[in-house]
Amino acid sequence: MAFSVLTVVTVGGIFLFLLAGSLEAFRSEGSSFFTGNRWAYRKQAFEAAAMLYGTAVVSAIAIVLALPLAFWTAMFLSEVCRERSRLALKFLVELLAGVPSVVYGLLGVLFLRTWMSSLFERLEWDAYSGDTLLTAGVLLAVMILPTLTTLFDDAFRSVPSKFRDAARGLGLTRAETAMSVVTRQAIPGLIGATLLALGRALGETIAVFLVVGRADNRLPRPGQIVQSFIDAGQTITSKLGGAETNIAVGDKLHTSALLALGLTLFVVVVGMTLFADLLRRRVAGEAR
Amino acid sequence: MSEDDVLKPILTIENLGVRVRRDGHELLRDVSFDIPRRMITAIIGPSGAGKSTLLKCINRLIDLSSTLEVTGRVLFEGVDTRAGFIDPDDLRRRIGIVFQQPVVFPGSIERNVLFAAARFGPVDGSLLESTLRQAGLWSEVKDRLQKPAATLSVGQQQRLALARTLAGSPDVILMDEPTSALDPKSTAAIEETIVALKETRSIVLVTHHLEQARRLSDWVACLCQRDGAGELMEAAQCETVFCCPTREETMQFLGIA
Amino acid sequence: MRRLGDRLFTLFAGAGAAVALLVIATVVGLVVFRGAGAISWRFFFEQSRAVGAEGGVLYHLAGTFILIATAGMIALPVAAGVGLYHQLYLRSDRGRRSLEALLHALNGIPSIVFGLFGLAFFVQLLGMRKSWLAGGILLAMMILPTVTVAFLEKLRAIPPASVEAAFGLGLRRNHIAWSLLLPQGAAGLVTGTLLGLARAAGETAPIMFTAVIFAGATVPRGIVDSPVLALPYHIFVLAQDSFDPAMTTNMWGSAIVLLMLVITLSLIALPLRLRIHEEARRV
């Protein structure tokens, strides 16, 4: 039963390891690691603001696209669908969840990229290629859709039927019951699900790496934010998944900077996951 | 209103049957009886006889279970409740229901009472007070209408649920063991309300308290299980059923030799 | 007005489901149509030639098998231990929730962080160079929560009365674990492991710095400095130079093989898992 200690050691160990390894980079750069926009490893400059921006944008696009779709699909699954078709649809959604990210990356590279590129042309937007933050966001949206839908469905289903019975018994329509009563009761679960999906979006490497463009130091001024969506960019994960990680071997500061990126990702994602956990536990507690 | 109208039953149950779609297992079989207007009709019987199921058929709440199939008819004011032109949501406003465990929605007492009524149209300013008075709760909550409804005791919540149902101006109120979860004081309060309500509405009361049924009801229907499904044993005046039932199952249930 | 609202609701819900289905169909359709032509028996059993541009994926499959088998062999006993500890020794709510939170935290760690950690720890610090074992360990860490949670779900289905009774009879905890909990929970353990393996098979990030190379490896000779080939990494590298048509067929073929592996593993686990899941969730 010391295996459980092993679990603690693993999580804690990784965290401490990253922390220790990052110290040198933090010492060298200070807070400008997060706020500065200059990443040039050859010049030993490691300011990562552009990557933080890229990570945030790509994930935000993914959530904004996937959330409404997942909400309505989950509504359909839990409030409209009949039992047999429900299980079939659920199975299909779960199928999509099991597809490895590298396959999504492949689809992104071979199809999505060209589609986006022709879309930009059609709309006469000034985009250099199909490798953009937007493309990565769209691909990510497809990837988190199954998880988000399943978790939303779980949240809706865990609302006890007594609430629906009471509302319908008063004469509320199915829509009114679903939107006012069920959704309201499911809110902690919905938020938790969103946080979990966001965590996965933030941590996704392979698919994003292939379609985001991998262009460093792209940090737009306030007026240029929308333009930056159709430009290439860089996220924390696409940087870590790239050539620099192997190049950095042997260079202490460089390695430390990359570990610092990893630490940032770790803290944000695990923090989000734990918070989501807290919320989902509240849902379960109320349902008893 | 002519004498004829008063004598016409408000609800007529005709050959009602409920069974599980997948395996044909019957929950109710061939139940037929009338529910008289402006009286309290008690539905009694052993556990599992299908009393709650019967209740849910009357206001079509049974429709929410896609696994069950309903045969037969329920006539409300002479009209088939399953007729194509009937709006089931409106039906449920006119035939209200109160459950054993009160359900409280998030929000204030006022919001709860007017929860459904707010959707039916503009709300009369006096509706909140009149329904709470009818439910016997006004004096206890009039000073804290904006407080969360969750702070009320179970007995108060049940009366709140009743007020909420009354806000829709139903003609019939179905009650599924409304006092089973309550303490004696709350039970007495609700019973008082029920008796007062029958002046203006028809009440259908499912209860396993035989004493309560005997005390409150004018008309009694007894449901017992036969061959695995609930069947109607008798439906008659309260006194008739309790002192001289016609069926053996009723006698067994009531403990009469 | 309310009728209209109700209709709109059904419309939106239906539209949502339709779009979701469309997305699923597109993904599945693209993969199946483009990929179907790329594979043949030869593809399975041949090894790679011309630095991955031609030939089959024999050694890639082998490498993936080695990696996930290692991961499974590590994760299964550890998950069993953690699960039993959770049920037998942690009787308080607080303790249980803390362990669960820990598992969720581990599950949330992005796969690239595992890869980075692996590089810095196994390759640099321990000097193992590229090693299949390091890859297996990292994957095991990654799938541990999946296996453990599935095991716990099954364990929870055991009526607490049985466990109480066993305690009441004076049986020692070890005994209870081996004779009662493990046999009853085994299905969950197996399901969880299969799902974990399915997930591990498709992962690129944890292994790309620590265990795999693109070409040249066959069967590992030792532990240190013994990389393997793997399907996902193969696809990943090919995808970065996706303009060569010869590469494309190979990419699709590898992708199909990978998908077949993942689907097979998932399908074996699916019936059991859906049942446990629905049982646990149905109110």
Side-chain angles (χ1 to χ4, degrees):
Chain A
M1 312 325 159
F3 282 143
S4 305
V5 177
L6 204 66
T7 317
V8 181
V9 165
T10 308
V11 180
I14 295 182
F15 174 69
L16 289 172
F17 188 86
L18 289 173
L19 188 62
S22 321
L23 286 176
E24 196 166 322
F26 287 136
R27 241 196 318 246
S28 161
E29 293 287 346
S31 68
S32 63
F33 181 80
F34 296 110
T35 55
N37 180 29
R38 184 159 171 261
W39 187 281
Y41 72 90
R42 289 196 188 87
K43 305 211 181 81
Q44 299 274 295
F46 299 110
E47 295 170 359
M51 278 181 267
L52 296 178
Y53 174 75
T55 305
V57 166
V58 165
S59 306
I61 293 176
I63 289 282
V64 162
L65 288 176
L67 205 105
L69 194 54
F71 179 85
W72 287 110
T73 308
M75 259 306 166
F76 184 80
L77 275 173
S78 87
E79 309 297 317
V80 177
C81 221
R82 270 181 305 268
E83 201 58 35
R84 284 160 297 163
S85 9
R86 197 192 113 79
L87 282 179
L89 188 57
K90 220 168 169 201
F91 170 76
L92 285 175
V93 172
E94 300 257 345
L95 199 73
L96 207 64
V99 175
S101 43
V102 71
V103 175
Y104 277 114
L106 197 61
L107 289 174
V109 152
L110 291 177
F111 297 108
L112 189 63
R113 207 162 56 172
T114 7
W115 293 346
M116 295 296 276
S117 166
S118 12
L119 181 69
F120 293 148
E121 261 177 50
R122 192 96 60 85
L123 293 170
E124 288 176 14
W125 285 354
D126 190 17
Y128 190 56
S129 75
D131 285 328
T132 67
L133 291 180
L134 187 61
T135 315
V138 171
L139 189 58
L140 216 48
V142 175
M143 291 174 71
I144 65 173
L145 184 65
T147 314
L148 206 55
T149 307
T150 314
L151 288 176
F152 273 12
D153 178 54
D154 283 350
F156 290 143
R157 300 271 282 177
S158 69
V159 174
S161 48
K162 65 178 187 180
F163 284 101
R164 291 186 187 83
D165 283 345
R168 296 304 299 274
L170 286 169
L172 263 68
T173 63
R174 182 170 64 182
E176 288 164 344
T177 308
M179 298 304 287
S180 308
V181 178
V182 178
T183 305
R184 180 72 168 72
Q185 293 292 125
I187 280 179
L190 296 178
I191 297 180
T194 308
L195 287 175
L196 271 178
L198 189 56
R200 288 193 49 175
L202 289 170
E204 173 51 44
T205 306
I206 302 299
V208 171
F209 176 90
L210 289 171
V211 297
V212 78
R214 303 195 294 280
D216 272 312
N217 300 318
R218 296 285 179 94
L219 186 66
R221 282 194 295 276
Q224 297 180 314
I225 288 192
V226 179
Q227 174 65 26
S228 75
F229 287 12
I230 55 176
D231 278 339
Q234 187 87 272
T235 68
I236 294 180
T237 51
S238 63
K239 168 64 71 184
L240 291 176
E244 272 194 47
T245 307
N246 280 311
I247 293 174
V249 174
D251 180 340
K252 277 215 79 181
L253 188 60
H254 196 183
T255 314
S256 177
L258 292 177
L259 285 174
L261 283 179
L263 180 71
T264 313
L265 199 61
F266 182 100
V267 168
V268 172
V269 174
V270 174
M272 245 184 236
T273 309
L274 287 176
F275 188 54
D277 209 40
L278 207 79
L279 285 175
R280 286 177 77 207
R281 220 194 301 281
R282 246 222 292 159
V283 177
E286 274 173 16
R288 290 288 163 264
Chain B
M1 201 185 333
S2 73
E3 219 177 76
D4 274 346
D5 285 341
V6 176
L7 293 175
K8 254 197 322 210
I10 189 161
L11 284 164
T12 303
I13 320 277
E14 260 179 29
N15 307 109
L16 188 68
V18 175
R19 64 163 183 254
V20 178
R21 221 181 276 270
R22 201 182 305 164
D23 53 16
H25 170 231
E26 283 177 304
L27 295 166
L28 281 178
R29 189 187 300 130
D30 207 24
V31 176
S32 302
F33 67 104
D34 290 341
I35 291 176
R37 194 178 294 268
R38 299 227 183 88
M39 294 194 207
I40 298 176
T41 304
I43 302 186
I44 62 175
S47 298
K51 307 191 291 294
S52 299
T53 312
L54 172 61
L55 222 59
K56 286 191 178 177
C57 287
I58 299 178
N59 70 348
R60 286 183 65 177
L61 209 55
I62 197 94
D63 292 0
L64 268 53
S65 309
S66 59
T67 52
L68 299 177
E69 197 185 335
V70 179
T71 51
R73 301 202 298 173
V74 173
L75 301 178
F76 177 49
E77 299 281 22
V79 178
D80 185 356
T81 54
R82 287 184 180 275
F85 57 86
I86 296 283
D87 175 8
D89 297 318
D90 188 59
L91 182 72
R92 293 182 196 117
R93 180 189 64 77
R94 299 178 62 198
I95 304 179
I97 188 165
V98 173
F99 299 99
Q100 182 172 352
Q101 292 283 3
V103 171
V104 162
F105 297 120
S108 67
I109 292 173
E110 175 173 350
R111 181 165 186 268
N112 262 269
V113 174
L114 300 177
F115 197 77
R119 289 167 217 274
F120 300 143
V123 170
D124 190 318
S126 63
L127 187 64
L128 182 61
E129 181 176 340
S130 72
T131 51
L132 282 171
R133 277 191 192 281
Q134 282 180 69
L137 191 60
W138 175 251
S139 54
E140 290 171 52
V141 301
K142 64 177 190 248
D143 298 321
R144 45 181 179 128
L145 293 169
Q146 301 308 322
K147 289 279 190 310
T151 56
L152 296 174
S153 72
V154 179
Q156 289 172 324
Q157 286 180 357
Q158 188 66 303
R159 281 177 276 160
L160 178 69
L162 185 54
R164 188 171 62 200
T165 306
L166 287 170
S169 319
D171 302 311
V172 179
I173 302 182
L174 309 174
M175 298 181 135
D176 194 352
E177 313 251 13
T179 58
S180 295
L182 307 181
D183 60 280
K185 178 162 163 255
S186 308
T187 303
I190 299 242
E191 285 183 0
E192 230 180 86
T193 309
I194 294 177
V195 173
L197 280 175
K198 80 165 180 192
E199 305 258 331
T200 43
R201 308 168 216 264
S202 316
I203 315 275
V204 182
L205 173 69
V206 166
T207 179
H208 67 260
H209 289 309
L210 293 179
E211 202 264 324
Q212 182 183 70
R214 191 159 196 172
R215 226 174 344 109
L216 300 179
S217 63
D218 306 299
W219 199 258
V220 171
C222 181
L223 232 58
C224 290
Q225 259 193 323
R226 257 217 323 189
D227 301 326
E231 283 186 24
L232 184 76
M233 295 298 128
E234 38 215 302
Q237 292 237 344
C238 175
E239 275 315 305
T240 315
V241 173
F242 275 100
C243 80
C244 331
T246 57
R247 304 286 279 276
E248 196 189 308
E249 287 90 345
T250 324
M251 289 188 230
Q252 253 179 21
F253 173 64
L254 293 176
I256 306 170
Chain C
M1 192 57 221
R2 295 172 68 212
R3 282 277 109 214
L4 181 67
D6 202 40
R7 290 254 164 75
L8 271 179
F9 171 80
T10 317
L11 189 74
F12 271 94
V19 173
L21 269 175
L22 187 69
V23 170
I24 298 173
T26 311
V27 171
V28 171
L30 285 175
V31 171
V32 168
F33 281 121
R34 287 299 302 268
I39 57 170
S40 60
W41 277 118
R42 276 181 52 214
F43 194 69
F44 270 98
F45 291 108
E46 265 194 3
Q47 62 176 104
S48 222
R49 293 194 300 267
V51 204
E54 287 168 29
V57 290
L58 177 66
Y59 285 110
H60 298 88
L61 260 179
T64 296
F65 273 131
I66 293 174
L67 287 170
I68 66 177
T70 313
M73 286 195 285
I74 298 174
L76 196 142
V78 176
V82 174
L84 291 171
Y85 183 73
H86 182 275
Q87 288 298 103
L88 285 176
Y89 289 87
L90 292 175
R91 306 303 277 172
S92 76
D93 234 11
R94 261 279 247 16
R96 288 190 172 183
R97 274 194 263 141
S98 304
L99 187 55
E100 284 164 27
L102 202 63
L103 283 173
H104 285 125
L106 187 58
N107 200 39
I109 298 179
S111 49
I112 189 72
V113 172
F114 281 112
L116 196 63
F117 171 73
L119 179 64
F121 187 73
F122 290 108
V123 178
Q124 285 200 276
L125 200 68
L126 295 188
M128 284 169 79
R129 313 278 285 279
K130 291 217 173 179
S131 153
W132 58 272
L133 184 61
I137 294 175
L138 288 171
L139 287 173
M141 281 189 223
M142 210 186 66
I143 67 171
L144 183 66
T146 309
V147 187
T148 314
V149 165
F151 185 43
L152 279 177
E153 263 185 8
K154 198 64 169 58
L155 283 181
R156 283 202 188 98
I158 299 176
S162 316
V163 185
E164 302 293 345
F167 271 111
L169 285 172
L171 291 174
R172 288 184 59 227
R173 283 189 232 244
N174 277 1
H175 197 75
I176 298 180
W178 281 105
S179 61
L180 177 67
L181 294 182
L182 213 48
Q184 297 239 4
L189 203 56
V190 169
T191 308
T193 309
L194 285 171
L195 289 175
L197 293 186
R199 189 175 153 196
E203 284 290 340
T204 317
I207 57 176
M208 62 194 241
F209 302 123
T210 56
V212 294
I213 54 178
F214 180 61
T218 53
V219 178
R221 252 166 259 282
I223 293 181
V224 174
D225 202 10
S226 315
V228 289
L229 302 179
L231 282 171
Y233 184 64
H234 186 68
I235 303 171
F236 178 56
V237 173
L238 288 181
Q240 291 177 50
D241 283 308
S242 53
F243 301 106
D244 184 344
M247 301 276 196
T248 311
T249 327
N250 205 299
M251 269 198 298
W252 277 116
S254 313
I256 293 286
V257 174
L258 179 61
L259 276 175
M260 278 166 55
L261 178 63
V262 170
I263 289 177
T264 311
L265 286 168
S266 303
L267 275 181
I268 303 175
L270 195 67
L272 215 67
R273 185 173 132 243
L274 261 184
R275 206 169 12 112
I276 299 178
H277 191 72
E278 286 287 309
E279 267 169 26
R281 282 269 161 234
R282 205 62 182 96
V283 178

